[in-house]
Amino acid sequence: MHETLIRAATVVDGTEAPGYTADVAIAGGVITAIGADLGPAHRVIDADGLVLSPGFIDMHAHSDLQVLLNPAHPSRITQGVTCEVIGQDGLSYAPVSDETLAVVRRQIAGWNTDPADFDFSWRTVGEYLDRLDAAGTATNLAYLVPHGLLRALTIGFGDGVASPAEVARMQEILTQGLREGAVGLSTGLTYTPAMYADDAELAALMRTTGELGGYFSPHHRSYGAGAMEAYAEMIDLSRRTGCPLHLAHATLNFGPNKGRAPELLALLDDAVAAGADVSLDTYPYLPGATTLAAILPSWAAAGGADATLARLRDPQELIRIREHLEHTGSDGCHGVIAEWETIEISGVGTDALAGYVGRTIAQIAADEGRDPFDVCVGILLDDRLATGILQHVGHEENVRAIMRHPTHTGGSDGLLVGGKPHPRAWGTFARYLGHYSRDLGLMSLEECVGHLTGRAARRLRLVRRGLVREGYAADLALFDPDAVIDRATYDAPRTPAAGFTHVFVRGTAALDDGEPTGALAGGALRLTDEGVL
C-alpha cells in the first residue's frame, strides 16, 4: 500500500513537455509510481483540477542563517519551494575563523540579522552543512563557497591584489569546501572584500571549481553603468577556465540600461553558440535589495565595519565619499550616482530608527529639512551599517525579455529580515506562475515550471531531483493553476502566496491543505562525484 497517493493530478513534470493526467504515489520519501489506478494508499489527495509539479528551486537565496533561526521557513514553503541555493554573493558564514566570523556577522546583519546569543558552532563548510542536517530544515539546501570568505581567511578584509601564494591558499580552502559538499563558488564583486579581486584570482578559483564539478555564480562588478562589460568579463572567464557559469540575479537595472536586454541576450546567445556553459537566474520584480552600506565606494568599505564607520566620522573622508555618491558614481552603487529618491529603507538593526522603514532617503531628508547625503551617513552610523534598502531602479521590458531566455531559471534573491523586506522573498515563484505565465502569457505553464525546476536541477547537477519521475525524490508542489498568485506587496511583504494546497519535501508534507506544517524534512544537498545528492 502506498503512503500517499495524489489522484488525478495534471502532472507538469519539469521537462517542459505537455502536462498529462495521472496518479502519483509516494513512499519512503520518493515517487514510487506514476500512472492510473495505482491502488490503495494510507492517504489519498484528490488533485482533480490541480497541477502537480516538482518543488521549485530557488537558485539565489539568502536564508543561510534564517533557516536555523526560523526553521519552519513559511516564505518558501507557501510558494512551493523545496530547494534553495545559499552562500550567495561571496558572503555567508562558512568557512570562517573566529576573527572573520565576527566581521562578516556585522557585515551581513542586514541580510540575516546578527543574534548575540546564537551558537555559531561551525567553522568549515562541512561543519555548517552538518549543522543544517542536525537541526533539520524545511527545505533542501545547496551551498556555494563564498569568495569573500576565502579572501578574508587569506589576506583579510582590506583591498589589494592577492599574491600567487595567497591565491594558492584560497584554492586550498575552496577545494576543502567543495570536497565537503559545496556545489560551487560565489562571489560578490561589488561587496568587500571580493570586489578587490582581479581576473587572475577569479580565474584560478574558477579552474579549481570546474575541476571539482562545481559551478561559478558571480554577483559581477556592475549591474548599472558597466553592466554589459561586467557580464562580458564573467563569460570570458568561463570560456578561458572551462568553469560552468551561472549569472546571479541577471538584471539590467539603473537608468543607463533601460531597453538594453537584447544586448545582454545576444551576448549570452553568442557564448552558448560558441560552446560556453552559461545560465542565469532572475527575480520577477523591478526594485533590487541590498544594504545601505553596500552603495559606498569600495575604498571607503575596505577593512571591515569598524574601518568603514571610522571613515564615516572623518570630515575629510566624507568629502571624498560624497563626491563618489553624488557626482562621479560609486563602484559600490554599480558605477552610478546615488539617486536618493530611489533608495528606500527596508529594515534597520536599531529600534530607534524604525520610523525610517518604508521611506526613501529623499523623503526623510525633505521631512527633516536635511541634506540627503547627511541623512544617509547618519543612518549608517546610528545603525552601525545594519540597514537594509530597496533600490527602485528596474525596467519592466528588461525583466520580461530576460526571463524568456532558454538558459533562465528563477531566483528570489530574497531577504527575510527587516521591517519591510522585498516581497520577492515570499512571492517570486507564485508571481512567475500567476502573473507572467498565466495572466500575461509570456510563457506556457509547462515552460514556466521547467524554468523553476528541471533547468535549475540540471545546473545544480541534482541526482534524482527536479522532475516528476519514478524513483526521484518526492519534492513536489501541488497548486491550482487558476488561483496561484503572489500576494506579498511592498507594504505587506510577508503575505503568503495563494493557490498552493500541498508541498512535499522528501515525501513529507511541509504544506498541507494550504497550511504550513512546520515539518523539517529537508537538509543539505552535497556535491559528490556522481552529482549533487
Side-chain angles (χ1 to χ4, degrees), residues 2 4-15 18-27 30-39 52-54 464 466-476:
H2 307 294
T4 302
L5 182 66
I6 303 170
R7 179 170 290 163
T10 298
V11 177
V12 177
D13 65 7
T15 65
Y20 60 93
T21 301
D23 298 346
V24 176
I26 300 170
V30 301
I31 300 168
T32 54
I34 302 174
D37 301 322
L38 295 181
L52 182 69
S53 76
R464 294 181 294 278
L467 300 175
V468 181
R469 284 185 178 169
E470 291 184 11
Y472 274 52
D475 298 336
L476 300 167

Side-chain angles (χ1 to χ4, degrees), residues 348-509:
V348 294
T350 303
D351 290 343
L353 301 176
Y356 288 157
V357 172
R359 300 161 66 191
T360 67
I361 297 290
Q363 288 170 337
I364 296 167
D367 291 345
E368 298 184 357
R370 300 169 60 197
D371 175 79
F373 176 80
D374 293 339
V375 169
C376 173
V377 172
I379 292 173
L380 288 170
L381 289 170
D382 292 344
D383 210 23
R384 295 185 62 77
L385 311 183
T387 311
I389 62 170
L390 303 182
Q391 285 184 283
H392 295 270
V393 292
H395 307 288
E396 180 67 17
E397 68 272 32
N398 288 342
V399 170
R400 295 188 188 190
I402 294 169
M403 73 170 62
R404 299 178 68 183
H405 194 265
T407 69
H408 174 265
T409 62
S412 70
D413 195 15
L415 303 179
L416 297 171
V417 304
K420 288 188 175 181
H422 200 302
R424 64 194 184 193
W426 289 74
T428 286
F429 296 86
R431 186 168 176 80
Y432 272 123
L433 292 166
H435 179 62
Y436 284 101
S437 175
R438 182 193 61 227
D439 296 344
L440 296 183
L442 291 186
M443 62 189 87
S444 70
L445 173 63
E446 289 86 353
E447 184 183 3
C448 187
V449 168
H451 282 231
L452 308 179
T453 61
R455 290 188 190 182
R458 288 195 298 274
R459 165 51 72 213
L460 289 170
R461 297 179 59 221
L462 296 184
V463 176
R464 294 181 294 278
R465 274 192 162 85
L467 300 175
V468 181
R469 284 185 178 169
E470 291 184 11
Y472 274 52
D475 298 336
L476 300 167
L478 188 66
F479 60 92
D480 182 342
D482 296 324
V484 65
I485 196 66
D486 61 304
R487 297 188 301 176
T489 66
Y490 294 98
D491 288 329
R494 292 183 172 89
T495 307
F500 288 89
T501 65
H502 296 79
V503 175
F504 295 89
V505 178
R506 305 190 188 198
T508 297

Side-chain angles (χ1 to χ4, degrees), residues 93-157:
Y93 302 97
V96 290
S97 64
D98 292 352
E99 294 77 14
T100 61
L101 175 61
V103 175
V104 79
R105 283 176 58 179
R106 292 179 61 188
Q107 184 175 356
I108 58 175
W111 294 0
N112 271 281
T113 73
D114 183 18
D117 57 351
F118 184 76
D119 177 20
F120 288 88
S121 60
W122 65 83
R123 291 297 178 267
T124 68
V125 169
E127 289 168 352
Y128 173 68
L129 299 181
D130 288 344
R131 175 67 173 274
L132 295 176
D133 284 338
T137 56
T139 60
N140 297 306
L141 297 153
Y143 190 73
L144 298 166
V145 178
H147 172 213
L149 299 186
L150 301 179
R151 277 188 69 96
L153 285 169
T154 306
I155 58 178
F157 287 87

Side-chain angles (χ1 to χ4, degrees), residues 46-64:
D46 181 5
D48 185 32
L50 302 179
V51 168
L52 182 69
S53 76
F56 305 127
I57 298 172
D58 189 339
M59 287 295 292
H60 193 100
H62 286 284
S63 308
D64 309 46

Side-chain angles (χ1 to χ4, degrees), residues 152-209:
L153 285 169
T154 306
I155 58 178
F157 287 87
D159 55 7
V161 175
S163 70
E166 290 166 338
V167 172
R169 177 57 183 150
M170 288 186 225
Q171 289 176 291
E172 291 175 2
I173 303 170
L174 171 60
T175 296
Q176 178 183 343
L178 292 167
R179 288 180 172 162
E180 290 174 347
V183 300
L185 171 72
S186 78
T187 193
L189 297 176
T190 66
Y191 297 125
T192 59
M195 68 193 314
Y196 306 122
D198 62 10
D199 280 2
E201 178 180 324
L202 295 173
L205 296 173
M206 289 174 68
R207 288 190 186 96
T208 297
T209 301

